[in-house]
């Protein structure tokens, strides 16, 4: 049968291992979050560029049709 000191030592070790594991998980989460933020900004910029290009093309076509 384990003594209180042995159980306390094992519990302290377990807590230290879990704390280290959760620090690693948090670092991975923050890295993933930063990556997703960059992807989001890129997609918003690409969408804005597409909308602007379509507006320019429509304006160009309207100008060409008006000259006919």
């Amino acid at each position: 049968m384990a003594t209180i000191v042995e159980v306390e030592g094992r519990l302290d070790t377990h807590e230290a291992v879990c704390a280290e594991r959760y620090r690693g998980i948090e670092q991975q989460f923050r890295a993933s979050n930063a990556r997703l933020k960059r992807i989001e900004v890129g997609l918003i910029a690409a969408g804005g560029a597409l909308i602007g290009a379509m507006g320019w093309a429509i304006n160009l076509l309207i100008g060409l049709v008006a000259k006919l």
Side-chain angles (χ1 to χ4, degrees):
M1 183 170 230
T3 65
I4 294 176
V5 175
E6 291 171 344
V7 172
E8 186 176 9
R10 288 177 51 203
L11 185 57
D12 289 342
T13 303
H14 176 76
E15 288 176 350
V17 170
C18 285
E20 184 63 32
R21 182 180 302 138
Y22 286 125
R23 275 193 289 276
I25 291 170
E26 186 175 350
Q27 287 174 349
Q28 289 176 350
F29 175 74
R30 287 184 184 191
S32 296
N33 198 20
R35 241 177 294 151
L36 288 173
K37 183 67 173 175
R38 286 193 302 271
I39 291 170
E40 178 186 9
V41 168
L43 287 173
I44 290 171
L50 283 172
I51 291 170
M54 287 190 307
W56 175 82
I58 290 170
N59 191 22
L60 179 66
L61 287 173
I62 289 172
L64 291 174
V65 169
K67 289 182 181 180
L68 295 178

